[in-house]
Amino acid sequence: MRIDAHVHLPVTGDDRTFDKAKDLLLCDMREHDVEYAILIPDNVSGSPIGDTETALSLFESTPNIFVMGTIDIQRQGQEWIARLDELMTRRRIVGMKIFPGHDPIYPTDPRLFPIYNLCQTQGVPVVIHTGWNTNHPEVAKYNDPKYIVEVARLYPALSIVNAHFFWPDVEYCYRLTNPVPNIFYDTSALADEEVIRETGIDRIRKALSDTMAGDPRRIIFGTDYAMCDVEAHIELIRSLSLSGDDEERVFWRNAARVFRLPVGGGAW
Ligand SMILES: [Zn+2]
């Protein structure tokens, strides 16, 4: 079984609609033997990759797609947080994504504390975007792992998923975050051409392998679909030469456990 814990739904091109993008996502999942996916909406309403409410209505009757909640703390406040609380209670959202670097905010911004409190109470993980943006290395200052470590220590019962391993500085990210047990990592974008060119495939593999050797429950398969190639990400995991059990953990068990997904009979 495979769960892709990090997919998006970009609507690009004149004739693309959310319905067409959804059909293509489900078709691509079948092609790559990905049974379940967690969709990450944008935190901007009217966005061409869809906001949280758009994703929820689009996938309401699609049991193999789970949805994350997102927030723009510069513009959304109490009212949206109350809505997220309700969505978490009903298990309509299984995670929360924040975008330091896309947004000029730090993970330690006090406006995020109500979100961390809510997620810790509800047992919902927070996914944090990290690393460079294409052609914009300077934005990585917002999502430096040192801030993520600070949040993880303030909220020890909160699961935090570091997306993209703070590329290209994967060793620095590993060194700071590996000692903190409530930090997990998804593999999204790590098999992307630009990420490999700037980081080096050996350094990416080493960061993942070292993490797995320390605790095989901390790496979660994700691709950053539709911006990234699914097969290249599957190959990246395979190239780590993990045991069968550990490969299963990466491909689905870790995501199922961390995001508490109703799959695999709860035997994670
Ligand atoms: Zn992404």
Side-chain angles (χ1 to χ4, degrees), residues 56-70:
L56 285 170
S57 59
L58 200 59
F59 291 99
E60 191 166 11
S61 309
T62 313
N64 61 329
I65 304 292
F66 303 102
V67 175
M68 268 190 219
T70 57

Side-chain angles (χ1 to χ4, degrees), residues 206-226:
K206 183 166 176 9
L208 295 175
S209 297
D210 288 354
T211 306
M212 285 300 289
D215 183 351
R217 296 171 310 163
R218 292 175 72 183
I219 302 280
I220 293 169
F221 175 66
T223 63
D224 229 355
Y225 175 95

